[in-house]
Amino acid sequence: MAEETKSVHWHPFNGRGEQLPASETLNLPPPPPWRKFNRPILPKDTERWLNLLEPVESEKNDRDRGEKFRLSEISNNEADSKNTELQKAIDLVIAGVNAALCLRRPLLVTGRPGSGKTSLAYALAYQLRLGPVLKWSITARTTLQDGLYRYDAIARLQEPDSEGKQDIGSYITLGALGTAFLPSALPRVLLIDEIDKSDINLPNDLLNLFEEGEYEIPELKRWTKKNPDKPVSVFTWDKNLHPVKLNSGIVGCHAFPIVVMTSNGERDFPPAFKRRCIRIKMPNPGINNLKSIVKSHMGDKYFDQSSDRISQLITDFLGKEKLAKDLATDQLLNVVYMLTGGAESTLDCESLKELLFKSLNDTEGL
């Protein structure tokens, strides 16, 4: 009997929260010839993935975030023109994500606050069964080295080692970025959050890594040159897993990671950087999507008990959003909690909405 052909996932992401069947693993089509990496897979990679997929209580919130993610849903109450516009935006996001997966390209995700830019990474990890998200949060002081690895030279100097045979691996810890590019059979999901806050040089520094799929650890390279055929165990960003064994100071991926970079539009990026990314813009949440968001955070029972009141608050939020253009869904959740949860307030309903629905660009304070 012929062996059953494994299905190829050209469109694995649908934005509806549907996971791959438990019996399947992600099987993307072969990468384009110019995006092939195929470094030798790490020893015990299968065992490592089994441990990665084992539920850990500390990662429950991240899993829930991915499970609850939904792209905006069409509402029957909206005008046909608005539904058409929203559906086009949703289709572009789904097409862009699947194109990035198949082309092995990073995603550059923009959109208004609360539109789901960051949650998209958790949704991909959940729906495609790819384990915990590797998150790298960016600030103005972040460098490429911060994301790749940390070498604790001081701790090594303090350890007694008269013969110079001390294993250097104990002092190297891979960062989220460095861990994502370990050679593994399946891709990891890497979230580079708020890359627009970075130093002007960071996007250009990432170009070689995104193109070549590899990076160098000079300290490890020198060690392996002096100690050939002696693998070094280094720590990774995955706190609950054993160290991985590396045979050289060059670390390169086998499967290109699923890279999700979020941007709030605080700056533009060089053309060379944008050319190497698939760029998508998250659609603004619609009525049905906001109801789903409230339900996922407050619970179905809570929503049903105050459904009429919550629906009116959502309508008020959307009306205010048309004027302010920059409200976040967090602001809606705050108002829903304050006005439907039984919390007492010295402010009346309209005053509370005016306070909590304040534009994010309002510089006049109260």
Side-chain angles (χ1 to χ4, degrees):
M1 182 175 170
E3 184 179 345
E4 184 180 352
T5 303
K6 189 178 180 182
S7 60
V8 177
H9 300 123
W10 281 91
H11 308 283
F13 177 74
N14 54 49
R16 297 190 298 269
E18 299 170 0
Q19 266 192 315
L20 286 178
S23 58
E24 292 186 28
T25 55
L26 181 66
N27 184 35
L28 294 170
W34 58 91
R35 296 296 292 166
K36 289 183 178 179
F37 302 100
N38 297 331
R39 273 70 171 186
I41 295 173
L42 287 171
K44 300 183 178 180
D45 184 61
T46 301
E47 179 183 335
R48 180 175 172 80
W49 268 102
L50 289 174
N51 291 330
L52 274 174
L53 296 176
E54 195 70 30
V56 177
E57 184 62 29
S58 61
E59 297 162 356
K60 184 179 185 302
N61 289 339
D62 291 347
R63 290 196 302 274
D64 289 346
R65 188 172 188 176
E67 183 179 3
K68 293 172 182 176
F69 176 87
R70 301 290 186 278
L71 282 173
S72 296
E73 301 171 19
I74 301 301
S75 170
N76 295 327
N77 298 325
E78 298 283 2
D80 289 342
S81 59
K82 190 164 185 178
N83 273 340
T84 301
E85 182 182 340
L86 180 57
Q87 187 61 60
K88 182 179 179 181
I90 294 170
D91 292 344
L92 283 173
V93 169
I94 294 173
V97 170
N98 286 314
L101 295 177
C102 294
L103 294 172
R104 277 62 168 185
R105 287 291 184 185
L107 275 166
L108 181 57
V109 188
T110 58
R112 287 162 62 173
S115 58
K117 300 186 294 294
T118 300
S119 296
L120 176 62
Y122 294 95
L124 284 165
Y126 172 78
Q127 294 182 25
L128 306 183
R129 297 182 183 274
L130 293 176
V133 171
L134 298 165
K135 183 178 180 180
W136 185 28
S137 297
I138 304 299
T139 70
R141 297 179 298 277
T142 301
T143 66
L144 182 66
Q145 171 89 26
D146 297 330
L148 290 176
Y149 73 96
R150 185 179 73 254
Y151 172 57
D152 194 343
I154 295 177
R156 189 180 181 209
L157 287 171
Q158 291 174 341
E159 290 287 339
D161 182 29
S162 58
E163 298 182 2
K165 297 184 178 296
Q166 191 176 52
D167 189 338
I168 196 174
S170 301
Y171 308 100
I172 294 176
T173 302
L174 303 184
L177 182 64
T179 300
F181 279 83
L182 285 171
S184 180
L186 292 173
R188 294 295 299 274
V189 177
L190 170 67
L191 170 62
I192 304 179
D193 208 19
E194 299 188 334
I195 191 171
D196 53 324
K197 295 190 185 307
S198 72
D199 176 85
I200 193 171
N201 294 315
L202 183 60
N204 286 325
D205 292 341
L206 285 166
L207 288 181
N208 185 69
L209 178 63
F210 287 165
E211 283 300 295
E212 303 301 326
E214 67 179 24
Y215 62 94
E216 181 180 294
I217 303 178
E219 298 86 355
L220 186 56
K221 188 176 182 180
R222 290 192 292 269
W223 168 266
T224 54
K225 188 175 181 179
K226 294 178 180 178
N227 301 273
D229 303 321
K230 186 178 179 182
V232 176
S233 296
V234 301
F235 297 102
T236 71
W237 194 253
D238 299 302
K239 304 296 188 294
N240 299 315
L241 299 188
H242 295 297
V244 298
K245 290 187 176 182
L246 301 179
N247 294 310
S248 75
I250 305 295
V251 180
C253 64
H254 176 86
F256 190 81
I258 299 172
V259 182
V260 179
M261 299 180 289
T262 69
S263 170
N264 291 316
E266 294 186 8
R267 56 170 286 197
D268 198 6
F269 298 100
F273 180 78
K274 292 191 287 188
R275 179 170 61 84
R276 289 166 171 82
C277 302
I278 303 295
R279 291 174 284 161
I280 60 175
K281 182 177 180 180
M282 298 298 289
N284 298 329
I287 293 175
N288 285 353
N289 191 236
L290 289 172
K291 287 182 178 179
S292 296
I293 290 172
V294 174
K295 282 184 180 180
S296 67
H297 284 83
M298 312 297 285
D300 290 343
K301 183 178 179 181
Y302 186 102
F303 184 91
D304 293 340
Q305 288 174 345
S306 307
S307 58
D308 292 341
R309 181 70 175 130
I310 293 174
S311 296
Q312 182 57 52
L313 291 173
I314 290 174
T315 300
D316 295 343
F317 173 79
L318 290 173
K320 184 77 173 177
E321 188 183 40
K322 289 179 182 178
L323 299 175
K325 301 290 187 184
D326 62 352
L327 297 185
T329 51
D330 287 351
Q331 293 170 272
L332 172 63
L333 292 171
N334 291 338
V335 171
V336 168
Y337 177 78
M338 290 297 294
L339 296 181
T340 63
E344 295 183 3
S345 173
T346 57
L347 296 172
D348 62 32
C349 174
E350 293 304 317
S351 297
L352 190 63
K353 285 193 291 183
E354 182 180 351
L355 174 66
L356 297 181
F357 283 163
K358 190 177 290 293
S359 167
L360 299 179
N361 288 321
D362 187 344
T363 58
E364 297 182 0
L366 292 176

